[in-house]
């Protein structure tokens, strides 16, 4: 288990999604974690990476009866999000 004092995670990329602001990466480490990275990064599933940043639990839904991102992440067995300031590729598994 991670805690909000953790500032580094290492794991295998399982999913990559780019958006206007950057990239969202799901990794399998000790447990699944979603990384948000707001810089240019070429993401490939199967790559082992090390990410440094701020880890937090997902925020609770603030508006009743709207999409609840926290519940969605929990249903995917993701308990933490990390806003990465630096990502380093350790190796390509594929």
């Amino acid at each position: 288990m991670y805690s909000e004092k953790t500032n580094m995670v290492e794991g295998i990329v399982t999913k990559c999604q780019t958006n206007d602001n950057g990239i969202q990466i799901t990794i399998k480490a000790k447990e699944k974690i979603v990384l948000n990275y707001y810089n240019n990064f070429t993401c490939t599933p199967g790559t082992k990476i090390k990410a440094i940043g701020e880890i937090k639990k997902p925020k609770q839904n603030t508006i009743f009866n709207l999409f609840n991102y926290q519940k969605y992440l929990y249903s995917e067995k993701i308990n933490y999000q990390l806003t990465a300031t630096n990502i380093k590729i350790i190796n390509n598994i594929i």
Side-chain angles (χ1 to χ4, degrees):
M1 289 284 293
Y2 291 102
S3 74
E4 293 189 13
K5 294 179 182 178
T6 305
N7 67 352
M8 192 275 300
V9 294
E10 190 174 299
I12 307 295
V13 174
T14 59
K15 185 177 175 184
C16 305
Q17 289 183 298
T18 57
N19 56 40
D20 293 338
N21 298 327
I23 189 164
Q24 187 176 67
I25 305 167
T26 304
I27 66 166
K28 179 148 176 50
K30 292 178 188 176
E31 57 186 272
K32 284 171 60 177
I33 295 179
V34 170
L35 307 176
N36 295 302
Y37 190 55
Y38 301 106
N39 290 317
N40 192 16
F41 181 73
T42 303
C43 181
T44 307
T47 302
K48 188 172 185 178
I49 63 171
K50 181 191 292 187
I52 297 171
E54 184 179 7
I55 196 165
K56 292 186 176 181
K57 288 207 171 257
K59 291 182 180 178
Q60 292 183 345
N61 195 15
T62 56
I63 302 173
F64 186 70
N65 277 342
L66 288 182
F67 177 73
N68 190 321
Y69 189 59
Q70 181 189 51
K71 284 186 180 179
Y72 166 74
L73 289 178
Y74 288 168
S75 74
E76 295 289 314
K77 308 231 184 311
I78 299 171
N79 296 314
Y80 293 98
Q81 293 178 288
L82 183 125
T83 302
T85 55
N86 189 11
I87 295 179
K88 180 181 177 185
I89 295 175
I90 296 173
N91 64 8
N92 291 326
I93 293 177
I94 297 175

